[in-house]
Amino acid sequence: MSRFRILVLFLLGCLLAPEPAQAFCGFYVARADARLFNRASRVVLVRDGDRTVLTMANDYRGDPAEFAVVIPVPTRIQREQIHVADPALVDHLDAYSAPRLVEYFDSDPCARRMTLEGRADASKQSAAPEEARARSLGVTIEARYTVGEYDILILSAAESRGLLRWLRETGYRIPDGAEPIVASYLKQGMRFFVARVNLDQQARLGTSFLRPLQVAYESPKFMLPIRLGTVNADGPQDLLIYALTRTGRVETTNYRTVRLPSDAEVPLFVKDEFASFYRDLFAEQVRRESMRAVFLEYAWDMAWCDPCAADPLSPGELRELGVFWLGGDASRGSAPNVFLTRLHVRYDAEHFPDDLRFHETGDRANFQGRYVLRHPWTGPTRCPEAEAYRRQLEERGERQARTLASLTGWNLAEIRTRLALGGGADPEPWWRRLWQE
């Protein structure tokens, strides 16, 4: 299946999200870009075979007249191989790949319970009535799967109106204007991948820079010299590396490449403190690895993103950064065959005595530093399940507090206090005041 078709199906899964899982795709609310770090240099590495285009954006903030840089390169460089790049290109790449904060919103626990009960009763009886109704509307349920925490249907249909009607009848909220889009896909013979969250399964699983310098050269050595940068440094430095290839993820070969903790739920107050949260999270992970690891913050095919912290770079922008294999189709604006790896390293001479050496892998699996806010339901509740939902919120709050302390090294007792409303030695938990009964 082509990447384009996978993207179409994924977007349809978001478009047709059922009421109990409206936030399946999440909403991006904040990002942790390079500006969070005071001493951060940024390097873009475009690599294909032995060819490399290196774009360097330093964090120098003094008098430009005093600026100088010494850059070791693995081959002789001619004048025509040296350029000055637009810093906006590196800023865009940084924003696109930055670790991000996303938020989800709980649905009405009473409505959710009714949906779950209806679904459970139907499964006990038979899926036959559902399939019979689908057939009467020209819809065929070609396959059913439970994959992880998702219940998945593969659907085909004779026409869009029947498909949309069936989806609405089975609990999906369809936005206005969807029918012509669905019809266009049906005309192309496409099927529909539809998913909703299986809550029971989910519970079980627990789940300002100077203008950059740019150098192009050929060499079998895929490396980045960092040792000279430690000579006159008065402390550890941060380096962000954005590697663009057409094969897959890039890793360091002479130091460990470690994925940052991701997809962790954190308390809602982190939304207003995401900068300090991420700085402390990164510092804590550096400490745990004894400052001897390179951290993976992002790995993704640049044809798309979810959630998008910034739009993907255009083919024109990628060419300006040195992605020289784009041609034909890309010039007409279609998705480029470019895979981005974002690496973050904090280094000094003691812990990183050698230059960074890299290799390209064939792994195109997606990864992003992503941290999750989950807003509780705050509307009225009139069902026996409401108290159980409140208990779940209490457990969620404790779990989020422990997660936040583990990620950042923040004091757990202080986090618990911040999660409580009211005063006194025994403040009332925030989740107890969500509803006016």
Side-chain angles (χ1 to χ4, degrees):
M1 184 179 290
S2 69
R3 291 194 313 277
F4 171 75
R5 187 167 177 185
I6 292 171
L7 174 58
V8 167
L9 292 174
F10 180 82
L11 293 177
L12 281 170
C14 299
L15 178 71
L16 305 177
E19 178 71 23
Q22 292 178 53
F24 176 78
C25 300
F27 298 90
Y28 152 75
V29 292
R31 64 171 171 248
D33 55 30
R35 291 171 295 180
L36 296 187
F37 300 91
N38 292 327
R39 302 160 60 93
S41 294
R42 299 178 293 173
V43 172
V44 182
L45 282 171
V46 176
R47 179 74 173 180
D48 186 46
D50 288 345
R51 294 175 291 179
T52 299
V53 180
L54 176 67
T55 304
M56 296 154 288
N58 294 281
D59 66 340
Y60 181 77
R61 292 180 175 85
D63 183 350
E66 301 296 323
F67 175 76
V69 61
V70 178
I71 307 166
V73 291
T75 187
R76 182 175 179 177
I77 304 296
Q78 304 292 333
R79 171 65 186 85
E80 59 270 20
Q81 295 171 261
I82 305 170
H83 298 270
V84 176
D86 183 352
L89 297 171
V90 183
D91 290 341
H92 190 172
L93 194 58
D94 176 54
Y96 168 81
S97 60
R100 63 218 55 201
L101 185 67
V102 299
E103 57 187 352
Y104 298 84
F105 294 83
D106 287 354
S107 59
D108 183 344
C110 297
R112 180 173 60 189
R113 171 54 59 184
M114 288 185 287
T115 301
L116 286 173
E117 288 174 350
R119 199 179 304 167
D121 290 343
S123 64
K124 289 175 186 176
Q125 298 167 10
S126 171
E130 183 182 69
E131 295 189 4
R133 177 56 177 161
R135 285 195 299 271
S136 73
L137 294 171
V139 177
T140 301
I141 302 174
E142 298 193 351
R144 298 174 180 269
Y145 310 109
T146 296
V147 179
E149 61 271 38
Y150 303 110
D151 291 332
I152 297 166
L153 298 177
I154 308 300
L155 306 176
S156 59
E159 50 92 22
S160 59
R161 187 170 302 176
L163 175 60
L164 295 178
R165 182 172 178 178
W166 185 83
L167 288 167
R168 288 189 178 100
E169 289 179 359
T170 52
Y172 288 83
R173 177 175 291 179
I174 310 300
D176 294 338
E179 185 171 343
I181 299 173
V182 172
S184 69
Y185 293 128
L186 287 174
K187 288 179 180 177
Q188 299 173 52
M190 290 189 177
R191 288 164 173 76
F192 292 83
F193 175 104
V194 180
R196 70 170 98 206
V197 176
N198 183 316
L199 297 172
D200 291 336
Q201 278 293 101
Q202 185 184 45
R204 290 191 197 100
L205 294 172
T207 78
S208 156
F209 292 94
L210 295 173
R211 286 206 302 165
L213 283 168
Q214 191 173 75
V215 180
Y217 58 87
E218 291 192 29
S219 170
K221 295 180 180 179
F222 187 16
M223 53 85 68
L224 186 64
I226 62 171
R227 286 177 294 166
L228 279 178
T230 65
V231 173
N232 59 353
D234 57 0
Q237 303 176 72
D238 281 275
L239 174 64
L240 289 143
I241 302 158
Y242 317 88
L244 298 167
T245 72
R246 54 174 154 186
T247 54
R249 182 166 44 83
V250 168
E251 294 183 344
T252 47
T253 59
N254 56 334
Y255 297 100
R256 291 181 63 233
T257 302
V258 177
R259 294 187 178 203
L260 279 175
S262 183
D263 290 326
E265 281 190 23
V266 294
L268 296 178
F269 66 75
V270 169
K271 183 173 183 177
D272 297 324
E273 303 173 25
F274 189 55
S276 59
F277 159 80
Y278 190 75
R279 279 194 295 263
D280 289 347
L281 177 149
F282 188 77
E284 177 66 11
Q285 306 315 308
V286 169
R287 184 193 67 79
R288 291 185 181 187
E289 295 292 336
S290 302
M291 200 173 165
R292 297 185 186 278
V294 177
F295 292 94
L296 177 68
E297 290 185 324
Y298 193 81
W300 211 276
D301 190 316
M302 288 209 70
W304 67 293
C305 50
D306 177 69
C308 293
D311 291 335
L313 275 66
S314 69
E317 289 175 304
L318 290 169
R319 283 197 198 88
E320 288 187 58
L321 284 170
V323 180
F324 41 79
W325 59 83
L326 299 180
D329 292 341
S331 66
R332 294 191 291 273
S334 62
N337 181 27
V338 182
F339 195 88
L340 167 63
T341 305
R342 174 182 173 126
L343 301 171
H344 187 169
V345 57
R346 182 166 293 170
Y347 69 101
D348 60 16
E350 177 185 354
H351 298 90
F352 282 82
D354 299 319
D355 293 327
L356 300 178
R357 297 195 295 270
F358 306 99
H359 76 111
E360 302 171 65
T361 73
D363 187 352
R364 298 181 71 88
N366 295 326
F367 173 82
Q368 59 181 303
R370 176 177 173 274
Y371 307 95
V372 179
L373 304 176
R374 285 185 62 192
H375 294 266
W377 171 258
T378 57
T381 54
R382 297 290 188 275
C383 67
E385 288 73 29
E387 185 58 35
Y389 176 65
R390 292 188 182 98
R391 288 195 298 270
Q392 291 173 12
L393 290 178
E394 184 174 352
E395 294 168 0
R396 179 197 298 182
E398 176 63 19
R399 185 170 61 249
Q400 291 173 348
R402 290 181 178 276
T403 297
L404 181 59
S406 175
L407 289 175
T408 62
W410 293 359
N411 182 274
L412 179 58
E414 292 179 2
I415 295 171
R416 285 171 173 157
T417 298
R418 297 192 64 184
L419 280 172
L421 292 176
D426 186 22
E428 184 181 10
W430 59 274
W431 52 84
R432 293 293 182 192
R433 296 187 178 180
L434 285 176
W435 301 279
Q436 298 295 323
E437 292 295 331

